[in-house]
Amino acid sequence: MATSMNVDYSTSIPNNVALGDDRRVLKALENWHPGYLNWWHNMGPDGFQEALVYLRTAVSVETDGWAVFDYVRMPEYRWGILLAPQEEDRKIPFGEHAGEPVWQDVPGEYRAMLRRLIVIQGDTEPASVEQQRHLGQTAPSLYDMRNLFQVNVEEGRHLWAMVYLLHKYFGRDGREEADELLRRQSGHKDHPRMLGAFNEATPDWLSFFMFTTFTDRDGKMQLEALAQSGFDPLSRTCRFMLTEEAHHMFVGATGVQRVIQRTCDAMKQAGIEDPYDIAAVRKLGVIDLPTIQKKANLHFSLSLDLFGSEISTNAANSFHAGIKGRFKENRLEDDHALTSATYQVPRLVDGEIKLTDEPALTALNARLRDDYVRDCGKGIALWNNTLTKAGVDFQIKLPSTAFNRKIGEFKDIEASPSGVVMNESCWASREADWLPSKADGDYIESLMKPEIEPGKYAAWISPPKVGINHQPGDFEYVKIDG
Ligand code: BYC
């Protein structure tokens, strides 16, 4: 049975965790708040801090209670601590404690493991805001600008979610970790963000749409795995974050789809049949399909690295402990202990990629990654459907999981998108066919001119089919001058 979860807006930090009765944590969060606002001003969206943005926010965490839309200045957005309702009698779903009541406090023996996972999760949230901070300046429409800012404020809220757990459950070292989350910076030489993909640039809007398609989807999978946790506050936090994550992937998948649509329309109009006639397509001021494929290759492979090594004792330990589960663990029908099960993992055997049987416990990162690859198929299907309907002879394909990897089994080899292992000189001669080159980046950058008239769109992207909250086509999603 779920309890009703209205959000209390009477404390300085909106919440549904009775912060008003928890003076210690409220005080700690109030102390952290100015540093957060400082970070938002310095590292959040560049400009537009005075603009009125049509954003949604939560009044309760029930399904109908959180999508309330209004104009807000971003620094005044009410970042809150929102947890999904507590399920009565919830039991630990997997691992050696399966069937025992979930923990409402941190079990001493798993403290370090839990803190590490929460810190890594927390670190990615502000990182993505930093990566996207200049994009407002080149938004292809007010609709897209608003979506960017919606994603940004929600990533800010996800940071708050992890910081709440650190302050509430981890005492002094939790407070220190919360401060560090504001100190590390994406791409910084001395104190970078923790995971590779979060130190890469997001230089243009196609990258943003690919990032929200592929990297936010890693976020979804990791949150799904943490939502299964036997540590109930983490599970409840992640369950609510997942409702927000869905919108981010919508922004990504429909964003790329609109870029593809516009390219197909322009090609048809100009009578161009060959999608590989890149010079002719670029003359039309749209993004050619092979370049879109290269961007997909890049962001997919960077996101695969976020799953860690295919074979991982860290993953085995956190599963065995009941801390991090599998995708949809509660719907899987096995013993939820995996002590004798095996799982097939692609590995490098005598220089070739082969499927091998591995202990299922140590193969959990590979398994989550496989679930992720299947989930990515949905975004790709949307794009390919657009290409098919337009009658353009081109399909976007996901590259092999061995392609362009920096972490895990394939980090020391080079493989083509179709998974053929190759030597370095062969790779070097083909790299520009498979990953975006400097020239591709320069071309895309040349298209990145802001379009800020309500209802207008840059020439390289189609308008969306439906407005946010069903607003009409010329709706002013961002009032730039406030
Ligand atoms: N870069 O056993 P291993 C999101 C480290 S995204 C750098 O192979 P493990 C979002 C690893 O830390 C989701 N280092 O892997 C999306 C370990 O170091 P230590 C974020 C890496 O631990 C868009 C060593 O290598 N959430 O929410 O099983 C916008 C050996 O590790 C990387 C999470 O990731 C890397 N890519 O799994 C906004 C969930 N990969 O500790 C937000 C929490 C591995 O030995 N994190 N290493 O020094 C986890 O579950 C795990 O930490 C990982 C790695 C899945 C990341």
Side-chain angles (χ1 to χ4, degrees):
M1 196 185 79
T3 46
S4 176
M5 296 296 276
N6 282 335
V7 180
D8 176 4
Y9 276 92
S10 69
T11 45
S12 53
I13 297 155
N15 69 92
N16 67 358
V17 292
L19 263 190
D21 303 332
D22 194 344
R23 304 313 293 178
R24 180 188 67 81
V25 176
L26 180 60
K27 187 118 202 344
L29 288 170
E30 283 174 345
N31 284 338
W32 187 79
H33 198 171
Y36 171 80
L37 284 179
N38 200 25
W39 166 81
W40 179 268
H41 277 286
N42 293 330
M43 296 308 298
D46 177 14
F48 307 102
Q49 299 286 347
E50 291 304 312
L52 285 168
V53 188
Y54 187 67
L55 293 175
R56 65 175 183 177
T57 190
V59 286
S60 91
V61 292
E62 307 297 351
T63 9
D64 58 349
W66 72 286
V68 173
F69 290 83
D70 208 351
Y71 283 105
V72 184
R73 285 188 182 83
M74 284 187 281
E76 290 161 18
Y77 182 82
R78 301 292 309 275
W79 283 285
I81 314 291
L82 309 174
L83 272 62
Q86 185 167 346
E87 277 173 37
E88 261 176 41
D89 297 326
R90 183 170 172 255
K91 302 284 191 294
I92 299 170
F94 57 90
E96 68 167 326
H97 303 287
E100 296 172 20
V102 288
W103 302 295
Q104 296 305 334
D105 240 313
V106 176
E109 70 268 43
Y110 304 137
R111 196 171 188 277
M113 182 190 285
L114 260 171
R115 193 185 67 194
R116 174 177 165 275
L117 291 177
I118 292 170
V119 166
I120 293 178
Q121 180 63 51
D123 193 68
T124 61
E125 315 290 0
S128 67
V129 177
E130 292 163 3
Q131 287 170 297
Q132 296 159 13
R133 70 180 302 249
H134 299 299
L135 292 175
Q137 307 286 353
T138 54
S141 71
L142 291 181
Y143 166 91
D144 290 291
M145 185 190 281
R146 176 261 165 220
N147 282 348
L148 167 74
F149 294 156
Q150 182 74 54
V151 168
N152 291 163
V153 293
E154 284 174 358
E155 300 300 7
R157 204 200 68 69
H158 292 179
L159 169 61
W160 273 93
M162 293 302 125
V163 163
Y164 166 71
L165 294 178
L166 289 170
H167 276 135
K168 167 103 182 147
Y169 298 100
F170 292 89
R172 186 178 167 169
D173 40 338
R175 282 198 299 282
E176 284 168 5
E177 293 283 14
D179 291 344
E180 285 297 303
L181 288 172
L182 295 177
R183 202 175 76 88
R184 283 186 291 272
Q185 271 175 29
S186 175
H188 196 284
K189 180 165 67 63
D190 302 320
H191 38 95
R193 292 296 174 183
M194 299 173 87
L195 301 180
F198 292 91
N199 289 305
E200 299 283 329
T202 310
D204 57 66
W205 276 78
L206 183 55
S207 297
F208 170 65
F209 293 138
M210 291 293 180
F211 183 97
T212 36
T213 297
F214 291 115
T215 307
D216 277 80
R217 197 179 300 276
D218 167 55
K220 168 186 166 178
M221 302 312 285
Q222 299 294 346
L223 290 173
E224 287 273 6
L226 293 173
Q228 301 288 339
S229 183
F231 178 47
D232 205 38
L234 176 62
S235 163
R236 292 172 56 205
T237 305
C238 292
R239 270 184 273 151
F240 184 67
M241 288 163 76
L242 277 164
T243 58
E244 291 165 318
E245 210 61 64
H247 173 70
H248 303 186
M249 283 175 299
F250 162 85
V251 169
T254 57
V256 176
Q257 188 258 335
R258 289 162 51 218
V259 178
I260 291 176
Q261 182 73 59
R262 181 69 197 104
T263 301
C264 291
D265 291 348
M267 283 170 62
K268 286 275 139 184
Q269 213 179 0
I272 299 173
E273 294 283 327
D274 179 7
Y276 294 94
D277 192 348
I278 292 170
V281 174
R282 287 189 180 179
K283 267 197 200 131
L284 307 173
V286 294
I287 306 177
D288 52 281
L289 300 170
T291 298
I292 295 174
Q293 173 71 64
K294 287 194 236 176
K295 283 271 196 185
N297 289 349
L298 174 67
H299 287 270
F300 177 68
S301 54
L302 285 172
S303 303
L304 291 180
D305 281 344
L306 294 172
F307 290 84
S309 300
E310 285 77 0
I311 306 298
S312 162
T313 47
N314 284 344
N317 290 341
S318 52
F319 183 87
H320 190 60
I323 297 296
K324 184 180 173 190
R326 288 170 293 176
F327 183 54
K328 301 208 188 300
E329 180 77 43
N330 48 357
R331 295 201 208 150
L332 297 174
E333 287 186 9
D334 57 22
D335 67 358
H336 302 279
L338 303 180
T339 35
S340 52
T342 59
Y343 187 80
Q344 286 206 315
V345 181
R347 301 199 70 177
L348 204 60
V349 182
D350 300 330
E352 276 180 61
I353 301 166
K354 293 205 172 125
L355 280 178
T356 62
D357 278 329
E358 302 293 336
L361 258 185
T362 48
L364 283 164
N365 286 346
R367 179 180 181 132
L368 191 61
R369 192 201 63 192
D370 287 349
D371 288 323
Y372 166 81
V373 174
R374 269 190 288 279
D375 208 65
C376 285
K378 291 181 199 162
I380 305 290
L382 177 75
W383 305 343
N384 285 338
N385 197 19
T386 301
L387 288 158
T388 306
K389 274 197 189 144
V392 172
D393 187 14
F394 194 95
Q395 295 276 283
I396 303 284
K397 293 192 188 75
L398 289 178
S400 154
T401 52
F403 172 78
N404 192 37
R405 298 298 306 280
K406 302 287 176 280
I407 298 272
E409 189 67 18
F410 306 115
K411 69 178 180 348
D412 297 324
I413 58 140
E414 300 297 357
S416 71
S418 57
V420 176
V421 180
M422 51 180 46
N423 64 31
E424 263 181 43
S425 67
C426 188
W427 163 265
S429 70
R430 298 299 310 275
E431 185 178 350
D433 296 333
W434 297 329
L435 289 171
S437 64
K438 164 108 178 38
D440 296 329
D442 290 347
Y443 173 67
I444 295 176
E445 199 191 317
S446 75
L447 300 178
M448 298 293 122
K449 305 272 176 351
E451 178 53 78
I452 55 170
E453 204 177 306
K456 288 251 168 101
Y457 288 80
W460 54 269
I461 188 166
S462 290
K465 291 204 173 67
V466 197
I468 294 295
N469 199 24
H470 295 284
Q471 292 296 351
D474 60 353
F475 186 73
E476 193 175 3
Y477 288 102
V478 183
K479 296 183 180 179
I480 290 178
D481 297 322

